[in-house]
Each structure stands twice: as structure tokens, then as C-alpha cells.
Amino acid sequence: MKETRQAEPLQPRLLDTKQAAAYLSISYWSLRSMVKQGHIPVVNLPSKKYLSKPFRRVRIDKSDLDAWLDTRKGVGL
């Protein structure tokens, strides 16, 4: 019999702010504050409803979160 392989589910590269907060194990409000302060870069995507207005949908690249975490690593407290 031929073995059938199930494809692994596709993992999104871009996360919304709630997903990014969960990925970092911090609160949504903490992440939002860090984004506003410019500590974590974001990707701005246009909203279908507001194409003529500034970008309203913010996504965060998972690789940027990983890079940010790497810069925060240290020894001890």
C-alpha cells in the first residue's frame, strides 16, 4: 500500500497584534506599547474598506519578533 502524507498546515509569516503578543507570551497592551515606541517593526496593510485612507491593518513579521528576542537575551537578572 502506498503511504499518504498529509501536508503540514501552513504557518503564517505575518501575525496580527494579538497573535504576536501570544507568540511573545506578553499582553496585547504591552505589545501595542512596544510597537508604538518603535521597538518592534510592523507591516502596514491596506484595509479593503478604507483603501483611500492610511493603512489600518498592522501585522508583525514573525522573523522580526525572533530577531527582537535575540537582542533581548542576556545572562542572569
Side-chain angles (χ1 to χ4, degrees):
M1 261 179 106
K2 195 173 190 179
E3 233 181 272
T4 58
R5 271 192 176 173
Q6 291 183 342
E8 290 185 28
L10 184 63
Q11 298 296 320
R13 177 177 172 181
L14 298 178
L15 305 174
D16 65 26
T17 49
K18 288 183 180 179
Q19 292 169 323
Y23 185 75
L24 294 176
S25 300
I26 62 173
S27 75
Y28 164 80
W29 295 105
S30 294
L31 178 86
R32 189 171 182 259
S33 176
M34 292 184 330
V35 166
K36 284 186 131 194
Q37 292 172 14
H39 297 296
I40 296 178
V42 297
V43 177
N44 291 304
L45 299 174
S47 171
K48 290 179 186 178
K49 187 175 179 181
Y50 302 102
L51 284 176
S52 62
K53 296 192 179 189
F55 295 112
R56 298 190 46 103
R57 291 191 308 172
V58 172
R59 297 293 181 262
I60 300 171
D61 192 328
K62 206 184 274 190
S63 62
D64 288 335
L65 293 178
D66 291 334
W68 182 81
L69 283 172
D70 287 341
T71 65
R72 307 299 300 170
K73 288 181 182 174
V75 178
L77 295 174

